[in-house]
Amino acid sequence: MSELEAPEPLLRAVEELETMPPGDYLRLRHRMKPCHLYDVLVKNSLAWDTRRGEVVECELFIWHLGDGVAEGAARKMAAMLPEWRD
């Protein structure tokens, strides 16, 4: 999604998250930190881990709060990337 112009990445992420089954997580890659997405995540009981990407500037790993399977998988993948520091 890194090549998409605003607000397309946000809209696509929200669409994916609405149909994401238990045990899955969304890995979002974007050229910048998607600040407007965080409010949507909070309102929809989603958790995330923001990382510095290797191919693009920012990568988010997003899962449903309380979904231990998805959280474990997402955090395992996220741990391979540097932590995001503002």
Side-chain angles (χ1 to χ4, degrees):
M1 285 196 221
S2 65
E3 71 282 349
L4 301 174
E5 294 298 323
E8 192 66 24
L10 174 86
L11 297 174
R12 285 197 182 180
V14 169
E15 286 175 7
E16 289 294 321
L17 293 166
E18 287 175 349
T19 61
M20 188 170 63
D24 283 357
Y25 66 91
L26 176 66
R27 184 175 185 172
L28 174 69
R29 294 176 172 146
H30 197 50
R31 67 178 174 273
M32 66 180 92
K33 190 175 178 183
C35 297
H36 298 292
L37 180 60
Y38 294 110
D39 286 339
V40 173
L41 300 178
V42 170
K43 288 177 184 174
N44 289 286
S45 299
L46 295 157
W48 66 91
D49 190 340
T50 305
R51 297 291 175 139
R52 292 273 176 203
E54 294 177 345
V55 177
V56 296
E57 180 70 15
C58 183
E59 294 197 32
L60 265 76
F61 298 82
I62 306 167
W63 62 92
H64 292 283
L65 279 173
D67 186 339
V69 172
E71 179 178 1
R75 290 197 182 276
K76 183 177 180 179
M77 289 300 296
M80 292 189 243
L81 298 171
E83 290 183 20
W84 185 276
R85 300 219 193 285
D86 285 322

